[in-house]
Every structure is written in structure tokens, then in C-alpha cells.
Amino acid sequence: MSMGVHEIEDAALLFVFGYNGADSHPIVARRIVRAKQKGAKIICCDPRRIETARIADMHLQLKGGTNLLLVNALANVIIEEGLCDDDFIEKHSTGFEEFKEVIKKYTPEGVAERTEISAGEIRKAARMYAQSGRSMILYGMGVCQFGQAVDVVKGLANLAIMTGNFGRPAVGIGPVRGQNNVQGACDMGALPNVYPGYQSVTVPAIREKFEKAWGVKLSDQPGITLTNVPHHVLHEPDPKKRIHAYYIMGEDPAQSDPDLAEVRESLEKCDFVILQDIYMNKTGQYADVILPATGWCEHDAVYSCCDRGFQKARKLIEPTGDVKRDWEIIGLISKAMGRPMEYTNTVQIWNEVIDLCPGFMGATDEKLEKNACIQWPCRSKEEHDMGTVFLHKDGKFAHPDGKAKFAPSEWRPPQELENEEYPLSFSTVREVGHYSVRTMSGNCRTLRNLEDEPGWIQMNPEDCGELGLRHGELVKVRSKRGYCITRCLPTERVKKGATYMTYQWWIGACNELTIGNLDPISKTPEYKYCACRVEKIEDQAWAEKHVREEYEEIRANMGIQTKGGRAA
Amino acid sequence: MLCIGCRTCMIGCVVAHEGKHIFEVDPDGYDFHPKLKVIKTFNVSVPVQCKHCEAPACMAACKSDAIHIVNGTVIIRTEKCIGCKSCAEACPFGAIQMVTLGSARNADGAPRSVANKCDLCQDQPKGPACLRVCPTAALRLVKEEDLGQTLKNKRLATLGLALGAEAQKQAAIGA
Amino acid sequence: MPSEFGLFVSTDIAKCSGCKACEMACFQSHNIKRNNVGKTVGTISVPVTPKLYVTVIETASMPVQCKHCENSPCKAVCQQKAISRVGSQIIVDEAKCIGCKDCLMACPFGAIALLPFYVGGRQAPQADSSGGKVAASKCDLCYEDPEGPACVRVCPNEALRLTDVNEERKKKNIAAAEALAVINAGDPGRRALS
Amino acid sequence: MTIKRIQSTCAYCGAGCQIMFTVDTEKNKILEAEPAPGRTNDGTLCLKGHYGWDYLNDPQILSKRLTKPMIRKGGKGSPLEEVEWDEAVRYTAGRLAEIKAKHGPNSIMCTGSARGSGNEANYVMQKFARVTIGTNNVDHCARI
């Protein structure tokens, strides 16, 4: 995020695009509510009537899969009606002319029919965004989990640049990162194309710096992404590019990747799979080696939160069982492979990290120990430098010329549209009471009792009527790739023809349905759009029994002997 | 408008009434029966709970003398409840839910199902747990004096409006 | 999905005129097979034994009938195990009833009466008592009749309705939530920074 | 019963809320979680912050806490058998070295973790992939 979470409530206008704060980050949703209380305007673009839409001044309930049409149309209006911040564009950006060329085609009237939003509404929203004085964009998986994710992110950034909403308090653009340390994993270089601190592996000077620091020759070839692993195990023609070993730490691809059937097959066919985790999970069923690690609260660590804030997570209790800390395990394996990599504690590792990354240099352990939350970049180790709240101050950008680059792109429809065999659109969404693959929240008593297997499929009441479905009835949801069983939840908050399922259930496993279509650049799968069919189950008694039995079977596979854990 | 439908209040309610030991016992060894329920409609997300009416329909309907007003709070003593459901039927808000208790048993060994509703955390020193844990402070305990204050504010505001309108009229006449 | 808690018939007291059609329908529907009672008065050869009891005062009237309590006192006290839970309903097996009257005393609503028990037009024997068998008689919600409670069907004023407290609660909750939306919208103070 | 109050960061969503934990160090148990005045959460918590920590005492609701290294000795599909750490490390290192020798460093894929492991573990994992294995095949579930 280019700004801080605490700044959200000071924005004059919040442009919330494909982001459901109430379910993903209740604490960020709190800031959105406070912004509203302090008089901010809210424009919410989401195909569902989410909580933010309910309190929004404008809810653009666009048809799923038409993000870029709407974004480009908004830009079109801002240009046509001369609402640009010409001074900011002139001083701090490049490529505006080519951008205008592409955007000309996306008139509000032209996109109205496909986005199901009237031209008038598009014009009004564009004016509100451009003229508020302090507009802030928040976006989430509704943007990123599409085949055209990166283009839409650039499209939103274009809006911020052309209206000068950058480099000042309470403006900017923010992907609200989902997981507690996804920002941190990126910061630390757990990415195929960058070292820690986003330093590229293909830049010789940087590579030499790390080669000197680590004392070894480094490969100059970017690696592959997590979502490409199934391809590289099963379908990769070139033997040199095939994957034979998969060292998985704190992940559960067999539950959270799309098209689970393919993932399972790839895990089976991969010669050697290592799972290093705290709980048995679906991936563990295919792992050749299980290495038990310490969990959150059982070790010290530094996390990066969604607005680039480094914070300490402290050890509260001694770990149970014969477990070791993640970095300890990796160190042992590395030593056994002839390359010792031993550390005594996290502070020692952290010091090594910040000395290699200019942007993190000042986030010293002393500052973090005093419960500071230091948003990088924080370049000097002195006490006074407590980090940077918002980026691009005075319009300075990371490109070599210090200017922002306009990046126009053409709209592409999602890969799999509804058809008569699968007449409904399907998207994954988040359940507020649970988290990701649910090996943590699913094992918490009160969270489990509040919401349990097999989850729900949110559907428009009319669609439910046509299929003769009632609230709470078990249904079968099927796509070209697979099916799962879950409960029907009729709600007017969902438009006709669309369905939504929360993705952390193991019986109601909606990733059996999702499609593996990846964004060409970010390689993020198109979770938010595929086609599905919902089938009524005549024999509800059988279905209830089946769900209970499957739940017990899963628990048994996970090594649980005791009875209990009833399905809701 | 402040409620974001996250249901933290519902768990807070259970923890306040069942006690903190629930985080250590067998997952099915305690009753998870929130005394308020978050309802999501097209227009609103909000928890529905007992209003502690002054003339409670539930108390009137109860034949087992289980419902009483204790210093302003309508309390159900579930040990006296025979599960006749009259109170649940009588409550116009649907704020009373019949719930089945895990361990309690009737004289004939059958499991007990009793009426369950908000008791304003009667026995909690710090008052209602739901409003303490709500991340957006959407819940507020309205006491008698608060009602009085709200009425006073509204009436003053009404007077203000009337004065404003009057001044407007005078100005129009004068101009 | 079958209801988790017992259904019961409830009365809209404003509509009940005390006409007792429900009592007749109740008696008739439970004695078609047992005492071949038809639809006309001429076919009645046994005393009328309804399972709900219309109670009248000057200003009001209503049938009093079993609520199918979840922790039913009658079931709890019946030492003959004649009262049991079938699905979600509380059912008396009149054949087992020995007329001890404990259930009648336990029921706080007065929904159980001891009435003569006739089979095939004759009063069934009750051990050696001369007067013949009497048995606890209370509403069984016409649980064997696919069309549901006879009383609800025949009431001329539609004063009776079959109540599922869970289903009704959901409807009432939605109305209560919508009411709170109106309250919130109108009250700027409620939306101000707390 | 020695009670300590320790502030830590929540491990669920990205908001990075600060939580004040009450811990009984003698019984090695967490007793309660209360909001702490963090920059992002400002003294509030959601349901996962308040009540999302008791999985640590392994209630075995959904799956079992991993407490011992295990190897599928009989190969794919055979049951997992508990082993000691040094055997697990030797076996893992051996298989990785063997695959690296046979198919080259780029035939091995490592993942960091966007979850509880923390920045230090991610740093060491990417260093392991790049230094010990010699490949840039390291990624994590930012993408999914």
C-alpha cells in the first residue's frame, strides 16, 4: 500500500474496488466506517452488495469480469471533462499521450451494457473521484485474482496519477495485502525474480553484491512461480525445466491452489515433496517427508503488515512436541548438504537482512523491540527515522526518471464464461470467521463453532427459486474441473446469475471448481471467475450423512482419533 | 451503519457466559449459544437482541415463572424453563432462541432445550461483552438516563429547526 | 429439514370465537378408524373426546392445547413411559396409560385431560375397574396425518396456526434488523464518532 | 502461577493488529488475548484476533498438530513413520542433493511462507534456494 492503514479514515473519498474489507480485514473496514463518519465519500465497485457498498455513496455493482472496462471508462471521463491534474501529469509522469489514445475508445456508453452500469453513474463516479481533493483507492483480490489482474492494477494507478492523488497524506493506491506476512515474504525476496528488498536477480551489480555477501556464484535466471509448478511437473516437455523436488514451508497448495485435481496429481508425480508446517494439511497427504515447525506464538519473528509495517511477533509459550524453528530446520538441511547456514536467533538474521537492503536499513531490532511499527523505506539507523507513512512524496517514483508511467491496456474477458451446461458465474470469496486453509482457525473452538463445514454458496434468491432450493439445503456445485457439496445461502446481496463461495472449506472445497487460467505477468489464477452449475440434492438425509462422514474421514486422515468435530 | 457483520459480538457473548475455560476443554464440551444474532439483509447488517421491554411479552407468556425483571434487565432463569416455547413465540423481535444444552438433563434423562436470550451480561463486572469486543463500537448500552438525554437533544434540535424556520420567514417578510 | 424443536398450534385470541369446531374436528380425525366416526352427527356412537380444550370467558376464548415442550414435564413424570418424543413432538400412547394423573398435574397449561378411551365403539377395559378405561388425552399435532393438524384446517376464523418457532424467529429477526436500519439512518448521533 | 503479559502481532490477516496476551508461563498456556494500542488496530480486534489462538493447544478439531518428523519409508502412498530429527534431515538433504545432481538445481522448487513463519524464515529459505540449491525457484502464496 502506498499509504498507511491509519490514513484511510482521513481520505476525502474512498474508491474501494474489488475489495471486501468487512470479511478480509475487519480492522481496515473499521477505518472505512470511520472515514464515512468523518464525512468521506465512498464509491464501492463490487459485483456483490458487500458491507462497504451498503454504506457507500455510490455502489457500482459491475458484472464480474469487466473491471478494466469500468476503470478505462472512468479515465475516459476524467480526460474528456478536463478533470486531470495537468500540473502533476506534466511534472511527474510520462506516456500520457499514448495512454489517452487507448482510453479514447472506452466511452461510458460503450462499456455500460457489458459492465451493467449506466453511463451516467460512471460519469458521476469519475467526477467525484477526480474532484474530491484527497481520493484514495483500496483494491484487493477482486482485482488481483483475474486473468487480467496486472492491467487493472495499472489502470487504477493511472487514475491516481492523472488526478495527482499521490505523494500526499490520505491519498494513493493500496492493495490491502491479505495475509499477515505476505508483504514480508515479498520483502524478504521469497520471489523468483528478486532478492530481499526487491533487488532484481537479473541486474549484474545487485547479483554481485549478494554473491559477495553470501560467498557463492548465483544464478541469473529468474525462477518459476508457485502456480506454474503443476505445469512443470506434469506437462513440461523440456526435461531440463521439469520440477522433481518441492520443498513446501507453511503452505497448502492442495487446498489453496486452483484446480485441485491437477495439483494433487502434480504432488503425486513429483519425485520428492517436503512439507514443513505446524499442522497436518491436505498437502501433507502427498508429502514424502514431514518436518514439524514451531507456530506463531512459539517463536520470535518479524512480520510485515499490509502497509509495509515491520512489527515484532513474540514467543509466548514453549512449543509442544519435538519441533524446531523454521530457519533452524533449513539451516540443518543446508549444513547436511555441505553449506552450513547456522544462526542463533532471529535478531542475528534480521541484522543480516537489513544490512543487505537499503530500504530496510533503519528498521533496527532496538526500534522494533519498543513495539514500534516501522513502515519501510526506513533508510537510517538513527532513532528519529521511524520509517515512511506514504510513498512517492513530492511525486517521486521508483522509475529511473523518477516519474510515474502511464500504462494503458485493452480489456480481455475472463477465460471461462457462463454457458448452458454451466449457466452461473462462480467466484471465491472470504469468510470473516476463518482464515485461508483453516488449519489455524479451523482448530479454534469458538471460530469452528461459529462457522463450520461445508460452508455456504451465496446465490440470488431468484436463482434459488428456479432450482427449488431453500436456505441451508445441501447442494452440489459443479464446474468443468470438479464438484463440491455445500449449503445454499439465498441473499439479495448477490446479483442474478452469480454465485460466491468462501474458499477455506475442505468438504465445500470450492477450489475443486476454480480454473487455472493465470495472469500472464503476475501468474495469479482467475479465482474470481469461472462457470458453474448448482444441482439440488433430492435426498437431503443422505447428503447430511455424507458430509458428516467425509468430515470424519478427513479428520481421520489428519491423524485424529477422538470422536467429535460435528459438521454444522 | 457502523456494524460490518463480523460477528465478534456473538463469540464474545459465548465466552462471557461460558467462561475462559472453553479455550482448553474438549471442543464439544461446552455450549456455543450466542444470545444475540447478526442479521444481514439487503439494507443492513446488525445484531438482533433482547430490548429488555418494560412490559415484556415473553414474561407474560411464561407459565413456569422463569422470566423476571431484575433491576431493569429481563432475565430468564433457564433452570426453571420447561421449553414450552411460548416466550419465543411471544417475542416480536425473535430475540429468544430455543437452544439445546450439551450436558444438562431432564428428570427422565432427556437433553434439555431452553429459551436463550440476552441478559445484558448481568453477572459481568464490566457489563455487556458484545459492545466491549465490537471492532467498530457499533453497539451501545442505552440506559434510562441516555434515553432521557436523547429525547432532550432531539427536542432541542426540533426547537432549533423551528426557530430557524421562523427566522427564515421573518427575513422573507422583511426583505 | 425436519424442525429441531417441537411444533405446536397457537391461537390468535383476537380471532377465536369459541365455536369449538376445532374440538369436534380433533375428536373426529382421531376416531375415524378406531370408532368409525364419520362426518355427520349420526355416525358418532362414542363420547366426544377432543385433545384440545376450548376455554371461554365473557371477553375471550381460546383452545388450550399441548405446546410439545422441549423439557416436557408430562414426559418426565410419566412412570409408565406412555409419553415419548416422536420426531420433535410429544406423543401419549393411550394404550399404556394407566390413568395415574401425574402428567395432568405436571402440565402447567392444563393441556391434558383424562377422557374415556373407546375402541370399536366400546370403552376399552381398564384392568378390573368397572368404569372402563380412561386415558391421558392431549394434542398429538395429528402427527400421523400428512395434512397436519385438523383443528387448524377447520377453524372458520383462521384463528389457529401451526407454529415453528425457528422459522418464525428468522422472519421476525429480519423485520427487527430492518427496524434498526431505520433507527440508525435517522439518528446522526448514532453514527457519530463514539 | 506466573502470569506474564506479552504484546505480539496477530498472524491472521494483513492488518497487523497488536494483541496483548496473558500467558501462564508455568503451565505454558495462553489464557487470554486483549487488544493492544497498535498503529493499525488502535486498541480494537476482530473475532480472529480475540479468539483465534486456542488452536495452539492442539484441540484436534480439524487436523492434528505435527509434533515429530515423519518419512514415508515405503515410498509414495505408504504410511508416514515417525523418525528422529537427524534421520529426517539426512534423508531430506540426501534426496535433495541426489535430485540436484541428477536433474540440476532448477529442478527443485522451494516456497517461503506468507504465514506464521516470519521474515527471518523466509530470508533463510530464499537464501537456501539460491545458495545451497543454486536456483531462483522460490515463491510463496502471494499469488494465490
Side-chain angles (χ1 to χ4, degrees), chain B residues 1 37 41 43 63 81-86 88-89 91-94 96-98 106 108 112-113 137 140, chain C residues 4-6 8 10 67-71 75 108-109 161 169 172-173 177-178 180-181 184 190-191 194:
Chain B
M1 189 272 290
K37 190 169 176 34
T41 71
N43 293 321
K63 287 284 284 179
C81 169
I82 64 167
C84 79
K85 306 173 285 270
S86 304
E89 193 213 349
C91 173
F93 304 100
I96 299 179
Q97 180 176 7
M98 298 307 293
N106 287 320
D108 61 356
R112 279 180 67 71
S113 297
R140 223 166 32 150
Chain C
E4 188 190 349
F5 299 110
F8 58 95
S10 54
K67 300 265 186 188
H68 295 272
C69 301
E70 301 310 316
N71 318 315
K75 180 159 94 73
F109 298 97
R161 73 178 194 284
R169 177 173 53 79
K172 289 192 272 192
N173 279 172
E178 295 288 353
L180 284 168
N184 280 351
R190 204 73 199 289
R191 299 160 56 184
S194 62

Side-chain angles (χ1 to χ4, degrees), chain C residues 85-162:
Chain C
R85 179 179 289 281
V86 173
S88 316
Q89 308 311 138
I90 303 294
I91 305 299
V92 173
D93 176 352
E94 282 137 337
K96 280 191 186 158
C97 173
I98 56 171
C100 79
K101 303 173 287 294
D102 263 5
C103 61
L104 188 142
M105 301 300 289
C107 173
F109 298 97
I112 305 180
L114 274 189
L115 294 177
F117 185 67
Y118 274 66
V119 180
R122 283 197 325 288
Q123 188 165 6
Q126 179 87 43
D128 58 357
S129 85
S130 53
K133 184 177 175 70
V134 285
S137 168
K138 79 165 191 62
C139 161
D140 64 3
L141 218 63
C142 295
Y143 73 107
E144 285 158 333
D145 181 341
E147 284 175 62
C151 55
V152 174
R153 274 184 269 128
V154 300
C155 174
N157 305 314
E158 290 173 355
L160 303 179
R161 73 178 194 284
L162 182 61

Side-chain angles (χ1 to χ4, degrees), chain A residues 191 226 298 352 555 559, chain D residues 48 61 64-65 123 130 139:
Chain A
L191 292 168
L226 198 84
E298 290 174 343
E352 183 178 324
R555 296 180 66 248
Chain D
K48 299 203 282 289
I61 298 174
K64 197 160 176 298
R65 193 69 203 277
Y123 171 76
R130 287 172 167 133
D139 194 12

